[in-house]
Every structure is written in structure tokens, then in C-alpha cells.
Amino acid sequence: FNVVPHNQTVTERIALWDNWKSLHGISGSLLECEHAEQDETTAAREFFDQLIRFGNFNSSALFCISLPAAIGACRALKDHNYKVGEDVAVCVVDGENKAQFLSPSITCLKRPDPGPYLNQIIKHILKKNKIESSLMEPSEVSVFKGESTMPVGP
């Protein structure tokens, strides 16, 4: 589920999700909403409120591009008596170091320690070396398992 305007990061996250679905033989549709005058959380809440109210919500899991999308979706689900983590699993790409403090806590990828990346940048600045690529990504990312995802199987 995406509620933010497309930029390089959003486009890459959607592509990675599509690739992951293909690799694992899982189906799923991309849900997107536009929110011209609203903040992302409000837009997400209203989007899911309408989906549920008109009988167009039939998912057992939501994979959200941003934390505001996840928060808005969780609120709408609760408003319609869905139990997040039991009836519907919700996870988000980036928990923004806040997902673990929500209720329910939201399953997400953990942000890596920025120290090593900042050290590389500072070294390049001090040496006045040209940085060949400004993109630095961790080789491994860990998952915070929140209350928003249900246990798998017995």
C-alpha cells in the first residue's frame, strides 16, 4: 500500500516487492491513493475506511511503503473492528525508529546504525575525494517483529 508520491525510493520499494512476490509465488495488488490536501496518515485512514465500508477490502496482509500509510491503515482497520495482527497482518518497509512504540507495534525492517556510513562520508569530505556513488546500502537488514503480524501456522 502506497500513499506517498512516487520518487526513486518509492519506485524501488515497489519493484523489490514485485520481485519478492514473483520469487515466492505470492499474489498481491498494489493499492495506492492520492492525497492532494491531506497528510499521508489521514489519507491512508480515509482510503481504507472507504475500501472497508464499500466491501472492497479482502486482504489478509498489508505491506506498506511508509509508516504513515501503515498507521492510517491500522486505524481504519480498528475503526471497522478488524484486529491488526490477528485478522490482518500489517508491516512496513521503514518503521522510522517509531514502529516498535505504536500499539500494536508494527513489523518493519530495522534501520541500520548510521555510524559506519557517516564515517565513510566524512572520510571522503576530509580527503576531498570524489564519491563515485552516493548510494550506500547495508548488505543485511534485520526485521523487527511487531504485534501487527500474526504467527504463521501451528
Side-chain angles (χ1 to χ4, degrees), residues 47-107:
F47 180 84
F48 273 94
D49 177 69
Q50 295 294 316
L51 273 181
I52 296 165
R53 184 175 295 155
F54 294 112
N56 295 320
F57 181 75
N58 61 357
S59 297
S60 60
L62 295 175
F63 183 69
C64 300
I65 298 289
S66 67
L67 186 58
I71 292 170
C74 285
R75 182 72 245 180
L77 290 165
K78 182 173 175 59
D79 290 346
H80 289 274
N81 299 314
Y82 284 86
K83 292 180 183 172
V84 172
E86 291 180 31
D87 302 322
V88 180
V90 177
C91 60
V92 64
V93 174
D94 180 3
E96 301 178 19
N97 293 327
K98 298 173 187 159
Q100 67 271 30
F101 300 109
L102 300 171
S103 181
S105 57
I106 299 176
T107 298

Side-chain angles (χ1 to χ4, degrees), residues 2 5 8 16 19 22 26 30 35 41-42 44 54 59 61 67-68 80-83 85 95 110 121 123 125 138 150:
N2 179 43
Q8 182 177 348
L16 287 169
N19 187 44
S22 294
I26 294 173
L30 176 63
H35 60 86
T41 306
T42 302
F54 294 112
S59 297
L67 186 58
H80 289 274
N81 299 314
Y82 284 86
K83 292 180 183 172
K110 292 181 185 176
I121 292 168
K123 284 179 185 177
I125 291 170
M150 56 196 108

